[in-house]
Amino acid sequence: MKMPAPSLPTAKVIQVDTRGAVILEEESPETRDSRGIYFPNHIEPVSHIAVDVGGSLAKVVYFTRSPEPPSSPSVAAIRSSSPPEPSTPRSNSPSAEFPTSSSPSSSNIRYNGALTPLVLDSQNHVDGFTLNSEMLRSTMLRRTSQHFPGGSLNFERFETDNIHQCVEFIQSLIERSAKVNEVSIEDMRKSVKIMATGGGAHKFYELFKDTLCVEVRREDEMECLIEGLKFITLIPDEAYYFSDELIQSVSHPTLSPSDQLGLLPDGVLERPGPNPPKFAVTFESNPTPQLPCLLVNIGSGVSLIKVDEDGRFERVSGTSLGGGTLWGLLSLLTPATTFDEMLNLSEQGDNATVDMLVGDIYGQDYSKLGLKSTMIASSFGKVFKKGKGKRTFSPEDISKSLLYAVSNNIGQIAYMNAEKYNLERIYFGGCFIRGHAATITTLSYAIRFWSKGTKRALFLRHEGFLGSIGAWIKNIGPESP
């Protein structure tokens, strides 16, 4: 009697072992929000790939193994398989105002390890038949080579307008994984599943399915965001916030303590404006689930999601003025062609040449209303002057002015919703932030000011990947109907 060919096992319920998880260093500031996360104790294979396709960017998350842990200053601390000792949040040195990387720049796409096909995780008995000794020996050797502890969660992003680059990357990853694992491309494709979320999960469904020749599952965008938030906040040093420990400003060393703190003479916080005071960054090194909270997801647009203590969620507000607005207007007004170029321009700009400030109107502070002369009274208010010829403004100044305008608007909307629903913790996510100092400072200080210090703005080092992380996690749990 002829035995039927062994079938591939279906996806099963596994749990990610996050003990000792560490966020690795990255190659360049451009990838500061896409550092790999190394899980030294995770064993079970994971072969699916998550893709979150938004209006501007497509984000990819996938898990790989390699014979050696990725090189990182933190790897020495994770070679033990025992759980890490509890620790308290720590503050970085004043030179690190926000989490970034100073490693050499690299614009090349990274291929970190390979996917593990589920065929290597099959048991000795498949479909009721026992494998012969030669097949068993071959299978066991290959399984042993794949089942060492440790693996990395990897992150990549692509512009949605160039979605074919994203597809080509995934195609290359699948082909490379088949070669590394010594399985046929057909078996590799049967093992791989694409977990797609975001608007592009529907728009590009056929493209992914037909080009990659793999199963594609579409997941709800908001559910994935919340699942991603709940998982990623359990990773040590992932969430961070500006503490009350002041960093002495290098650019204004002569300022009095009250000026450095942004305090008016009567001890009241000044209203949010350009160049808000800088505070030390504190990471949550021993994280615990922090619900309820408000998630402010800043992508092309902005969604504000209220998350209850039991994980239930509701989109309670939003605005169309988000990252897409900044990206689109700066594409029209400056020579920058990428979002990172726009952020770099803003770091060199002076918004006071473009914005109308309180001092331009009153000639001084308006202390009675708590308005300093440097506060923005009107974004882009100096651009139009009646009866005067058209003026020219530098791309740097325009970039900084628009960044402040969008960030201040989002910060105030976030505060009002947190106040309405009595939520103290406000997480900011989305690719708009990108670990950019001016954006983080503006949002943090806006929340601190409007709430009078009762609410806190929290940020995530993988802020732009919540949706794709959530889609990746959803496949690890029970499959939804």
Side-chain angles (χ1 to χ4, degrees):
M1 176 180 173
K2 186 178 180 181
M3 290 192 304
S7 62
L8 292 171
T10 58
K12 60 181 181 179
V13 179
I14 62 174
Q15 297 293 326
V16 179
D17 191 338
T18 60
R19 291 175 303 143
V22 63
I23 301 174
L24 304 174
E25 290 298 320
E26 274 301 342
E27 294 92 344
S28 69
E30 286 72 25
T31 58
R32 57 193 168 200
D33 66 335
S34 57
R35 314 158 190 261
I37 302 177
Y38 186 67
F39 298 103
N41 297 298
H42 187 73
I43 295 177
E44 297 188 64
V46 182
S47 62
H48 61 274
I49 303 169
V51 185
D52 177 13
V53 187
S56 302
L57 295 171
K59 288 78 66 177
V60 179
V61 170
Y62 61 100
F63 183 83
T64 60
R65 301 186 185 285
S66 57
E68 295 293 330
S71 59
S72 167
S74 304
V75 165
I78 60 174
R79 293 194 180 274
S80 171
S81 61
S82 59
E85 292 296 321
S87 58
T88 56
R90 68 185 191 283
S91 293
N92 278 5
S93 62
S95 61
E97 294 179 8
F98 62 100
T100 184
S101 169
S102 57
S103 304
S105 176
S106 172
S107 59
N108 296 328
I109 296 296
R110 301 159 294 162
Y111 291 93
N112 297 325
L115 304 171
T116 303
L118 294 177
V119 67
L120 298 185
D121 194 44
S122 57
Q123 303 299 316
N124 298 350
H125 293 77
V126 182
D127 285 351
F129 294 94
T130 303
L131 302 178
N132 62 42
S133 58
E134 188 61 32
M135 291 174 65
L136 178 59
R137 179 178 180 276
S138 174
T139 299
M140 291 302 294
L141 283 173
R142 292 161 75 187
R143 288 182 63 201
T144 301
S145 69
Q146 297 296 331
H147 278 61
F148 50 82
S152 296
L153 197 59
N154 306 286
F155 305 86
E156 288 290 345
R157 78 167 82 84
F158 304 85
E159 292 185 10
T160 303
D161 285 345
N162 300 322
I163 192 65
H164 288 281
Q165 290 184 2
C166 176
V167 175
E168 289 170 6
F169 170 80
I170 296 174
Q171 180 84 302
S172 298
L173 177 62
I174 294 172
E175 293 173 355
R176 180 176 179 276
S177 299
K179 185 176 180 180
V180 168
N181 289 287
E182 298 180 1
V183 300
S184 68
I185 187 64
E186 290 78 15
D187 280 351
M188 193 70 222
R189 284 173 176 160
K190 290 176 183 177
S191 294
V192 172
K193 183 186 298 181
I194 303 295
M195 309 297 294
T197 187
H202 303 275
K203 183 177 181 180
F204 301 112
Y205 174 80
E206 297 296 337
L207 175 66
F208 282 111
K209 185 173 181 294
D210 296 342
T211 305
L212 300 175
C213 301
V214 298
E215 179 186 351
V216 179
R217 273 178 50 184
R218 291 169 284 196
E219 297 291 341
D220 180 77
E221 182 176 2
M222 292 299 166
E223 287 183 10
C224 289
L225 278 174
I226 304 308
E227 289 301 319
L229 175 68
K230 290 193 294 184
F231 175 78
I232 204 67
T233 50
L234 295 177
I235 305 300
D237 295 336
E238 172 66 35
Y240 63 96
Y241 57 90
F242 278 22
S243 74
D244 292 332
E245 178 186 347
L246 178 69
I247 291 180
Q248 301 297 323
S249 174
V250 176
S251 58
H252 300 94
T254 60
L255 289 179
S256 67
S258 63
D259 284 335
Q260 292 170 352
L261 284 166
L263 297 176
L264 296 173
D266 58 0
V268 177
L269 287 168
E270 70 170 277
R271 299 170 78 88
N275 303 315
K278 296 179 175 64
F279 294 84
V281 173
T282 297
F283 292 92
E284 296 191 336
S285 298
N286 189 30
T288 56
Q290 299 288 348
L291 300 178
C293 69
L294 182 72
L295 172 61
V296 184
N297 193 58
I298 314 173
S300 300
V302 183
S303 288
L304 286 86
I305 307 165
K306 176 175 70 77
V307 187
D308 297 332
E309 193 169 5
D310 59 3
R312 290 185 297 178
F313 63 90
E314 177 187 1
R315 186 183 186 275
V316 293
S317 186
T319 173
S320 61
L321 305 181
T325 307
L326 183 71
W327 196 343
L329 288 176
L330 290 184
S331 294
L332 292 173
L333 300 173
T334 74
T337 57
T338 69
F339 198 41
D340 288 307
E341 287 179 13
M342 296 170 190
L343 294 179
N344 290 336
L345 285 175
S346 71
E347 291 176 353
Q348 307 163 38
D350 179 9
N351 70 295
T353 65
V354 178
D355 296 337
M356 184 178 294
L357 309 181
V358 168
D360 297 322
I361 300 173
Y362 293 96
Q364 60 183 1
D365 294 350
Y366 193 167
S367 301
K368 190 173 182 179
L369 294 182
L371 306 178
K372 273 202 165 185
S373 61
T374 54
M375 181 187 174
I376 300 172
S378 174
S379 297
F380 282 75
K382 289 181 180 173
V383 173
F384 175 74
K385 292 290 184 180
K386 190 174 182 180
K388 295 186 178 181
K390 199 167 186 178
R391 300 171 58 194
T392 301
F393 299 90
S394 75
E396 292 82 1
D397 296 346
I398 291 172
S399 298
K400 192 151 198 174
S401 172
L402 193 57
L403 179 66
Y404 277 140
V406 173
S407 299
N408 277 322
N409 182 59
I410 294 171
Q412 188 165 15
I413 293 174
Y415 159 73
M416 290 190 294
N417 279 274
E419 184 71 11
K420 178 179 179 180
Y421 296 104
N422 194 30
L423 298 169
E424 293 184 5
R425 297 176 68 88
I426 307 172
Y427 285 100
F428 287 91
C431 285
F432 170 78
I433 300 171
R434 300 288 276 275
H436 189 245
T439 309
I440 295 169
T441 305
T442 303
L443 292 170
S444 293
Y445 192 69
I447 298 300
R448 183 174 182 266
F449 170 81
W450 293 113
S451 70
K452 298 181 180 179
T454 62
K455 302 186 189 302
R456 171 168 283 165
L458 296 109
F459 301 88
L460 302 164
R461 298 173 80 174
H462 293 88
E463 57 214 0
F465 290 87
L466 294 184
S468 47
I469 292 171
W472 185 77
I473 285 295
K474 280 174 69 69
N475 190 61
I476 290 177
E479 186 167 340
S480 57

